[in-house]
Structures are given as C-alpha cells and as structure tokens.
Amino acid sequence: MSDAIQVPKAELHCHIEGAAPPTLVNRLADRHGIDVSSVLDGNGKFVWSDFTTFLKAYDLASSVFRTPADYALLAETYFRMLAAEGAIYGEIFISPDHAQATGLSYRSYVEGLAEGMERAKAGTAIEGRMIAIGVRHFGAAAVERVVKEVIGNPHPLVTGFGLAGDERSGHPANFSKAFRMAAEADLGTTAHAGEFGGPDSIVAALEFLRVRRLGHGVRAIEDKDLVRRLADEQIVLEVCPGSNIALGVYTHLRFHPVNMLRKAGVKITLNADDPPFFGTTLGKEYASVAATFGWTFDDQMEVTRTAIEAAFCDDATRKRLLVRLDSARQIPGEGG
Ligand code: ADE
Ligand code: ZN
C-alpha cells in the first residue's frame, strides 16, 4: 500500500457542484431534459478552455441538480469517493445561488446535501461540514443575500461562509458587510484570493474580510513581506495545485509555489477545488505534491493536521478527528 493511501486526508476546499462526476451530470441531464452537450464531450469529459469558460461550464453542469434528492445523491457520491481515498473529513462549498437558479430554496438545498452527507457518514465514518459561498461576480447584494439565508436558516452542518467566483471582478471592500455579519453569527470565514489576483488582492481580502483562511492564496509568493505576514499570522491556505495548473496559473507542478510557501512557514492544506473539471482528486493532490517535492509521510500528516486544526467544526469533532489522524501513526509508513 502506498503512503498516499495510508495518510488520512482532509479537504477544506471543494465546490460541491464542481465535484459532480460527468456520469452523474449526464444521468440527471437526461432525467430532467437538459442539454449539456456543450460542456461534456463524447468521452465524458468537461469541456472548457479558460477560467471564464470554466465558470460557464460549471454553471451549466450545476443546473442539472434540481431536487433535494439530486443534491443528496451528489453529496453522498462525493463524500464516499473522498472516504475511499482515505479522507476522514471534508468541507464543501455550497452555492445557494446555483440552487436558486433552478428554483430550489436554500432550506431544501441544504437539507438535500445534508441527507447525502449523513448517508456517506453512515457508510464510511467520513465527517463533513458545509460552507455557503457568495459568488463575487454576482455582486455585493447577492453575497449579502446568501449570508442572510444562512443566518436565518441555521443548520448544524453549515458552519462557514465564503466568497468564490471571479476574483478579477469587484473589490473585497464590497463584501466587508457580508463577512462582518457572518463573523458576528459565529460562522467560520474564508475567501478566494491570490488565485487570479496578485498579492494586493490577498492583502485586501485580509484587511476587508478579516479572514484567517484563504482559498488558494498562492500568489502571495510574489511578495516576500506578504509571505512573512501569512506565516506570522498563521493564515491557512487552501491550496489547490491541480486546479491552478489546469487553469494555467502555473505551467507545471514543479513551478507551483506550494513547497516554497510551506518552507517559509506558511500553513498549507491540499485540496481538489473542482475535481473532475481539473482531472484531479484529493488523493491525487497529496500523491503528486509528495512525489514532486519529496514530502514524506509525516509531511503529509502535517498537511492533514493543519486542515483539521483550521476546520470549521466544533471542538469535540476536531478532537475526534485528531485522534483518528494520530492513530494512523501506528501503521508503519514506507516513506517515513
Ligand atoms: N467556483 C468554482 N471553482 C472556482 C475557482 N477555482 N475559483 C473561483 N470560483 C470558483
Ligand atoms: Zn475554489
């Protein structure tokens, strides 16, 4: 058995609609009479060519999920796949705007997803939480609507609030009110920054959104002072190397800054973002980073520990997950 299988894993950054396997998208598209041929090729692969067309493909693929049962199936499928790769914990980004676009209420959306997560947990013991995201390019009013829905309809598995979408649009200052509301409601907060935007985008997210976790954040590497700040303030990066390469942020994994950031003392987690769109999985992320940068079993354990420590879950759950993580040390690892 390889180290990649033995290391317990945790994922903090995965968009649930972006985790939909093409076979499931095709099946539900047939059921609901939706034409997805423009975003799925004959070989069952998602088709897109840059970030803008990726977001369009993501929107169309999301539109095949119409009912709570569809979302339950999606969540169960994803969490079972994650558990099969050795994950003990996963946080999913959920997008109430995408559900609403197909006529589903926030409450029905969340209840459907929660049902699927509970089924996966019953079968595999995988623990999960949801982070509701606002879509940046939909504007501040839409993002505020999302946080109000979350606060007005509390659910024990929805423990975070985040900002995704096109980082090239708008300024974090537009979303500071939404993030203040989320923090006051005791939701964990995270924002995509430093994926397509540079260091100034990250600084603005830290200043205006007061987040302690960043989606991606990798372009901090372009500013030494910012790297030092992230390390000093123990900001946790939700790094998604395969996504960055698929979207052309970096050309090859060996040129990706994840290793340099870690060496500089920045807290790193590994994530798959939108796995089938980018030809990746959480297991592949751990394995490819370990192979490229020589990360040992213990290095990978530390990545999972960082994720669990930064997870938006209650402390009793965190403690249980850390016990499960530490029990993996009993298994002799080949690499360290
Ligand atoms: N929504 C889905 N995937 C995304 C990504 N990689 N960046 C920003 N928003 C997203
Ligand atoms: Zn993302």
Side-chain angles (χ1 to χ4, degrees):
M1 201 192 279
S2 73
D3 281 356
I5 298 290
Q6 289 173 22
V7 177
K9 301 172 187 69
E11 183 166 61
L12 301 184
H13 188 127
C14 179
H15 302 259
I16 190 61
E17 286 84 358
T23 45
L24 181 58
V25 171
N26 259 328
R27 183 147 44 103
L28 291 179
D30 283 350
R31 185 180 300 166
H32 297 305
I34 300 160
D35 180 8
V36 289
S37 59
S38 63
V39 298
L40 266 175
D41 71 13
N43 302 316
K45 282 205 158 148
F46 289 115
V47 183
W48 51 272
S49 55
D50 56 19
F51 188 52
T52 304
T53 53
F54 157 71
L55 287 174
K56 285 214 172 94
Y58 174 96
D59 287 346
L60 184 58
S62 302
S63 75
V64 307
F65 298 94
R66 301 258 146 167
T67 68
D70 292 345
Y71 278 109
L73 186 57
L74 173 58
E76 181 179 6
T77 304
Y78 162 72
F79 275 97
R80 280 186 181 277
M81 283 166 46
L82 203 61
E85 291 195 311
I88 58 175
Y89 182 74
E91 282 176 7
I92 52 173
F93 288 133
I94 67 169
S95 177
D97 289 303
H98 282 86
Q100 194 189 43
T102 66
L104 207 59
S105 72
Y106 173 76
R107 216 184 261 257
S108 303
Y109 176 53
V110 166
E111 281 168 5
L113 290 165
E115 161 77 24
M117 289 166 69
E118 298 292 355
R119 290 203 303 249
K121 183 176 171 179
T124 68
I126 191 164
E127 190 69 62
R129 294 292 184 273
M130 295 181 246
I131 301 171
I133 52 146
V135 179
R136 186 168 175 145
H137 53 274
F138 292 172
V143 173
E144 281 167 30
R145 260 199 314 277
V146 171
V147 76
K148 283 180 188 156
E149 287 272 36
V150 177
I151 294 169
N153 298 278
H155 188 285
L157 295 184
V158 181
T159 53
F161 175 69
L163 185 66
D166 196 337
E167 191 186 351
R168 300 165 301 187
S169 107
H171 188 280
N174 301 342
F175 309 107
S176 56
K177 182 175 169 202
F179 275 74
R180 208 166 45 242
M181 289 166 69
E184 280 166 8
D186 273 337
L187 294 164
T189 56
T190 177
H192 283 59
E195 178 187 20
F196 288 99
D200 47 353
S201 173
I202 295 173
V203 170
L206 294 175
E207 295 303 309
F208 289 97
L209 309 180
R210 318 298 296 175
V211 287
R212 309 227 8 104
R213 266 172 50 178
L214 289 168
H216 302 281
V218 288
R219 288 194 54 198
I221 200 67
E222 295 163 29
D223 181 337
K224 274 198 175 64
D225 291 340
L226 180 57
V227 171
R228 200 167 315 118
R229 176 177 175 191
L230 295 182
D232 287 348
E233 296 184 11
Q234 301 194 16
I235 303 296
V236 173
L237 301 191
E238 302 155 6
V239 181
C240 313
S243 160
N244 295 152
I245 289 156
L247 287 168
V249 182
Y250 300 102
T251 53
H252 298 282
L253 185 53
R254 65 183 182 279
F255 297 136
H256 192 283
V258 63
N259 195 43
M260 284 193 286
L261 288 163
R262 181 168 178 271
K263 279 188 175 161
V266 179
K267 287 189 173 283
I268 296 299
T269 65
L270 292 176
N271 306 275
D273 207 4
D274 303 281
F277 282 86
F278 303 143
T280 191
T281 66
L282 183 63
K284 284 187 189 172
E285 295 297 327
Y286 271 70
S288 61
V289 168
T292 302
F293 299 112
W295 290 11
T296 63
F297 179 89
D298 282 349
D299 293 334
Q300 295 169 69
M301 289 285 280
E302 184 185 284
V303 167
T304 304
R305 175 174 294 275
T306 300
I308 293 171
E309 285 173 352
F312 296 154
C313 65
D314 55 281
D315 285 339
T317 302
R318 194 185 325 280
K319 218 166 151 187
R320 271 197 305 278
L321 290 167
L322 288 171
V323 168
R324 278 181 76 186
L325 176 65
D326 285 335
S327 70
R329 290 198 185 283
Q330 319 307 327
I331 304 166
E334 289 151 11

